[in-house]
């Protein structure tokens, strides 16, 4: 049964234009409200009253059947009967007890029974650092079993807390004071993390790998690993300190007694501390001992000699020599080959010259290559035995094209009869073939 | 072996013990604490040349390893240049500045302080373990019957130079070397042994 919410009070608390349903976690918050009357009736301003009500409720929860007021008084003979009546009335008004009018008997409704069990099982007084992590994850597991919708929320809460703790442990490990480190070492973190991992794995098995829950579970595992790593580093550091052994080797003397012993000791007893290396050298000592160095050198040299492999001469492999294909390195040769192929296939040489040409720059490059081919063969070019070609176009002074755009330059070359537009094939030039 | 580990090992060999009051050395110390892999690499490199990487109550430094120290050729150079007066003062300072700190830390742990807010894993931000100090007047008074004041001052100057002790405003504090260069467990055994021996030699008190 959901208590009625005062809409005016709610709207007064919200910013203008915002509805309660638009608040984050509003739905989840509302689900807790059914226990509001129960909590209000149980947790009064008087701790004594609350404790007595809990005593009464726990007695009723363990007893069977329905209760008349007389039976309740019998169950709790240690309580004053008037007080018992007042407590029963208060609990009845708060919803902890249902009254059947026909026979004036009481019984705890299921919601009250569940809340009472929840409060008892939580064992709030027994929370210690050694079990808080386990409790946190058990709450998630409980929520996951009772109400699957709450799993995501509880995981998010656990993850936020674990990540904070992981960061904290890293900081403690890096710069923590001895007291903090020792306290941390006593939290049985390994056992707790093992338990948490088992619970999380059980939730993981029921979780779809593509869901948000799964991503949170992965991050929880990472945070747990961080905490575990920090804890291991800590254990090692404490062992290095030898603090635990020092603690057990307590001599039972006061500082004053030990101070007197130091003052009363002989010089020889005091200097024994240096002889026995209890106090170490402040500066780096000798790094190399010549005798050791010589011994090592003399003993390792013969063995090194024996281990050395015999040298066998091997003729280096002959490099593989191949004729360099000029077409691979010289674009002029590539043009020559292309023109030759076109001639063999009976295609137009003009077309072959400009095939694969996509823009004006390419066209100029191809014409330049042709000019170089011509230049290399004086006037004309032998593309096949007995077949020679030469560019059949007037020579254009470079100054006539200077400062023109691409389109203007092409138009100028067409007007000077260097290039000829061909329907559907773009621009071409003329080549004279001599056989 | 990473380049960083080599640099840190070299710096530690050069410095001996890291000074917590020097920002650069403090940064180096935190770097070592935060990176366990780096710590292992540096320790391995130092062990190979006869040194131990030591960490005592937050102080980090290097000291000659026990195995290297047994070599007489090495130990011949290792007399510290300290005589019995220096060592006696050093042990007295160790008792009041380091041993007391260790004992207080352990005692605090045995009786968990009440009323502190605990987090999920029982860690807390608050920390009240300020390092112990020893007033100059108290030290001078203790040694007054044994050494003249000038002798005691000379011994303290030598110990300060070696990093065993710090002094400010008439108070002595432990230097990093007093944590790093002393084998605390064996020192305790030795000092307790001295106390036990003195107890046996003392005549019974009259009733």
């Amino acid at each position: 049964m959901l208590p009625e919410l005062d809409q005016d009070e709610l709207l007064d608390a919200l910013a203008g234009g915002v509805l309660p349903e638009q608040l984050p976690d509003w739905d989840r918050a509302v689900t807790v409200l059914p226990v509001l009357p129960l909590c209000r009736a149980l947790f009064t301003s008087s701790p004594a009253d609350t404790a007595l009500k809990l005593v009464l409720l726990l007695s009723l929860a363990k007893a069977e059947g329905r209760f008349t007021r007389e039976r309740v008084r019998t169950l709790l003979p240690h309580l004053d009967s008037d007080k018992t009546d007042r407590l029963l009335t208060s609990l009845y008004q708060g919803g902890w007890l249902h009254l059947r009018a026909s026979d004036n008997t009481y019984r705890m409704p299921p919601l009250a029974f569940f809340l009472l069990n929840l409060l008892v099982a939580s064992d709030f007084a027994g929370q210690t650092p050694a079990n808080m992590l386990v409790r946190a994850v058990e709450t998630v597991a409980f929520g996951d079993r009772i109400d699957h919708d709450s799993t995501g929320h509880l995981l998010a809460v656990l993850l936020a807390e674990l990540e904070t703790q992981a960061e904290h442990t890293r900081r403690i490990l890096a710069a923590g004071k001895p007291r903090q480190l020792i306290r941390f070492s006593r939290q049985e973190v390994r056992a707790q993390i093992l338990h948490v991992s088992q619970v999380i794995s059980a939730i993981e098995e029921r979780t779809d790998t593509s869901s948000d829950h799964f991503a949170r579970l992965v991050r929880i595992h990472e945070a747990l690993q961080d905490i575990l790593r920090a804890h291991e580093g800590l254990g090692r550091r404490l062992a290095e300190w030898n603090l635990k052994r020092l603690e057990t080797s307590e001599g039972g003397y006061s500082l004053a007694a030990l101070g007197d012993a130091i003052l009363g000791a002989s010089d020889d007893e005091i200097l024994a501390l240096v002889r026995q290396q209890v106090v170490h050298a402040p500066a780096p000592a000798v790094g190399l001992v010549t005798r050791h160095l010589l011994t090592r050198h003399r003993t390792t040299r013969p063995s090194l000699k024996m281990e050395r492999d015999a040298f066998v001469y091997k003729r280096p492999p002959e490099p593989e020599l191949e004729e360099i294909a000029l077409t691979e390195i010289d674009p002029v040769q590539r043009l020559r080959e292309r023109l030759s192929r076109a001639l063999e296939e009976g295609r137009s040489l003009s077309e072959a010259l400009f095939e694969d040409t996509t823009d004006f720059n390419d066209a100029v490059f191809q014409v330049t290559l042709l000019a170089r081919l011509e230049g290399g063969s004086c006037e004309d070019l032998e593309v096949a035995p007995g077949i020679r070609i030469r560019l059949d176009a007037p020579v254009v002074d470079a100054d006539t094209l200077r400062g023109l755009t691409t389109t203007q330059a092409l138009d100028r070359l067409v007007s000077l009869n260097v290039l000829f537009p061909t329907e559907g094939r773009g621009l071409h030039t003329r080549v004279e073939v001599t056989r | 072996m990473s380049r960083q580990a080599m640099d840190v090992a070299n710096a530690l060999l050069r410095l001996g013990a890291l000074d917590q009051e020097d920002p650069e050395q403090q940064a180096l110390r935190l770097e070592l604490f935060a990176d366990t892999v780096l710590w292992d690499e540096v320790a391995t490199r130092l062990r190979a040349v006869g040194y131990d990487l030591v960490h005592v109550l937050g102080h980090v430094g290097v000291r000659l390893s026990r195995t290297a120290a047994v070599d007489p050729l090495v130990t011949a150079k290792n007399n510290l240049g300290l005589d019995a007066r220096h060592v006696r003062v050093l042990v007295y300072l160790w008792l009041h500045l380091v041993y007391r700190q260790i004992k207080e830390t352990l005692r605090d742990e045995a009786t968990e302080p009440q009323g502190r807010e605990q987090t999920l894993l029982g860690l807390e931000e608050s920390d009240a373990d300020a390092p112990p100090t020893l007033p100059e007047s108290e030290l001078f008074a203790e040694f007054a019957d044994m050494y003249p004041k000038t002798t005691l001052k000379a011994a303290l100057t030598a110990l300060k130079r070696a990093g065993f002790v710090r002094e400010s405003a008439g108070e002595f504090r432990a230097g990093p070397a007093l944590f790093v260069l002393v084998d605390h467990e064996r020192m305790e055994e030795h000092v307790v042994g001295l106390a036990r021996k003195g107890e046996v030699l003392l005549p019974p008190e009259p009733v």
Side-chain angles (χ1 to χ4, degrees), chain A residues 402-413:
Chain A
R402 187 161 293 153
L404 301 181
T405 64
T406 306
T407 317
Q408 289 167 341
L410 286 173
D411 290 345
R412 177 65 59 83
L413 289 172

Side-chain angles (χ1 to χ4, degrees), chain B residues 1-204:
Chain B
M1 177 71 64
S2 70
R3 179 77 211 171
Q4 189 191 14
M6 287 169 66
D7 290 345
V8 173
N10 291 345
L12 281 166
L13 281 175
R14 195 174 63 250
L15 297 165
L18 296 180
D19 186 350
Q20 291 194 3
E21 291 170 14
D22 182 310
E24 282 186 19
Q25 294 183 32
Q26 170 74 347
L28 184 61
R29 191 178 73 99
L30 294 180
E31 195 177 353
L32 267 172
F33 283 176
D35 189 345
T36 50
V37 176
L38 177 66
W39 178 281
D40 286 341
E41 284 187 347
V42 172
T44 306
R45 184 170 174 79
L46 289 170
R47 204 176 302 119
V49 291
Y51 287 94
D52 284 338
L53 179 58
V54 187
H55 176 207
V56 182
L57 290 175
H59 294 268
V60 174
V62 289
R63 70 183 184 205
L64 205 59
S65 68
R66 294 283 291 276
T67 48
V70 296
D71 192 316
L73 283 168
V74 174
T75 49
K77 298 277 184 186
N78 190 20
N79 60 9
L80 305 174
L82 304 177
D83 61 20
R85 287 167 299 180
H86 297 113
V87 181
R88 196 184 301 274
V89 178
L90 185 149
V91 178
Y92 191 85
L93 289 169
W94 173 85
L95 181 72
H96 285 273
L97 302 178
V98 176
Y99 186 64
R100 201 172 88 193
Q101 191 173 341
I102 293 173
K103 285 291 166 193
E104 280 177 2
T105 302
L106 294 170
R107 187 164 47 246
D108 282 350
E109 283 316 304
T111 56
E112 181 74 20
Q114 299 296 311
R116 289 187 184 174
E117 188 184 348
Q118 289 183 337
T119 58
L120 198 63
L121 288 174
L123 305 174
E124 59 181 56
E125 299 281 3
S126 66
D127 191 18
D129 51 349
T133 57
L134 184 67
E136 189 183 49
S137 55
E138 192 181 314
L139 183 71
F140 283 5
E142 284 289 340
F143 282 87
D145 295 340
M146 186 169 274
Y147 301 133
K149 204 167 184 177
T150 46
T151 307
L152 191 59
K153 280 190 172 173
L156 285 166
T157 306
L159 293 177
K160 275 190 250 178
R161 202 181 305 124
F164 283 112
V165 67
R166 296 263 163 72
E167 184 190 3
S168 60
E171 298 264 342
F172 288 109
R173 287 176 292 115
L178 200 55
F179 288 95
V180 171
L181 298 180
V182 174
D183 189 329
H184 304 282
E185 189 190 339
R186 291 168 65 216
M187 179 70 103
E188 188 200 33
E189 281 172 15
H190 193 89
V191 173
V192 170
L194 290 176
R196 197 168 288 134
K197 195 188 286 182
E199 201 174 44
V200 172
L201 293 176
L202 279 177

